[in-house]
Amino acid sequence: MLSELLCAAALGSFTVLDSAEHSVDHYTQGLFFDGGVLYETTGHYGKSRMFRYPAPGKAPTDSVSLESRFFGEGSIKLGNDIFWLTWREGTAFVYDAQTLTRKSAFSIPTEGWGLAFYKGSLLMSDGSDRLYFLSPGEKNVFRNVSVTDDSKPVRNLNELEAVGDIVYANVWQSDSIAAIDPKSGKVLKWYDFSRIARQIRKKIPEAEVLNGIAFDGNAFWITGKNWPVMYKVQIKP
């Protein structure tokens, strides 16, 4: 719950606009749009896959899996490349966005959790209070910032989505999304989805925390690990 974070930043509001079916078998780690096409990456050893959907709620048109020794995490598209993190393996992969074939791999210096694209840089979380800025070309970390709320570190930063000058981050185990200024690391607002999450877990006990934020150009789509539904929401600044 949001109260467990002892947040000082203001509580933002949102409106649920629509919903779509989501597979309860998907342990969602990464979620992003490329135009109207939705991509999802999932986790667990032996079950980590990337799915491509023509739209939310539709059947995937294609997918690709990781070898069982890798635990898939966050992902994002940049140009004709899709970057896909792994959790504890110190490795990220680059896939061709057209064919979903693997092109290359590179090392990451921390655990891989969430991934977004922000103003020319890859932005990565690792479950700590840090956001890491990576060069898409050299793929090296050139900057990091601590995320804070009232000067207190906000840990467990997970899936990311960058829209304009704001980065939105799932905070693992909280069912909450933090709106962050990535330059200063300051939390600007909190969005509490715990009521929705509790309702889902009453019906689907195996459903886990909120995780997955994707912006379709007009509104956000959010979901969770093993959730049966995705929600289209208008987040109010």
Side-chain angles (χ1 to χ4, degrees), residues 29-49:
Q29 303 289 67
L31 200 69
F32 67 89
F33 280 95
D34 178 33
V37 178
L38 177 66
Y39 292 79
E40 178 184 26
T41 46
T42 65
H44 281 314
Y45 292 107
K47 296 182 178 180
S48 296
R49 298 187 68 86

Side-chain angles (χ1 to χ4, degrees), residues 1-2 4-5 156 158 170-176 209-210:
M1 295 176 60
L2 189 59
E4 295 172 352
L5 297 171
N156 290 335
N158 203 352
N170 284 124
V171 178
W172 185 50
Q173 295 183 327
S174 75
D175 293 320
S176 303
V209 295
L210 180 82

Side-chain angles (χ1 to χ4, degrees), residues 128-158:
S128 70
D129 61 309
R130 295 276 165 180
L131 292 176
Y132 299 86
F133 295 77
L134 288 77
S135 165
E138 291 78 11
K139 302 176 180 61
N140 62 298
V141 175
F142 63 88
R143 178 175 174 250
N144 71 81
V145 63
S146 174
V147 173
T148 59
D149 184 8
D150 193 27
S151 301
K152 298 175 183 177
V154 178
R155 299 182 175 87
N156 290 335
L157 298 176
N158 203 352

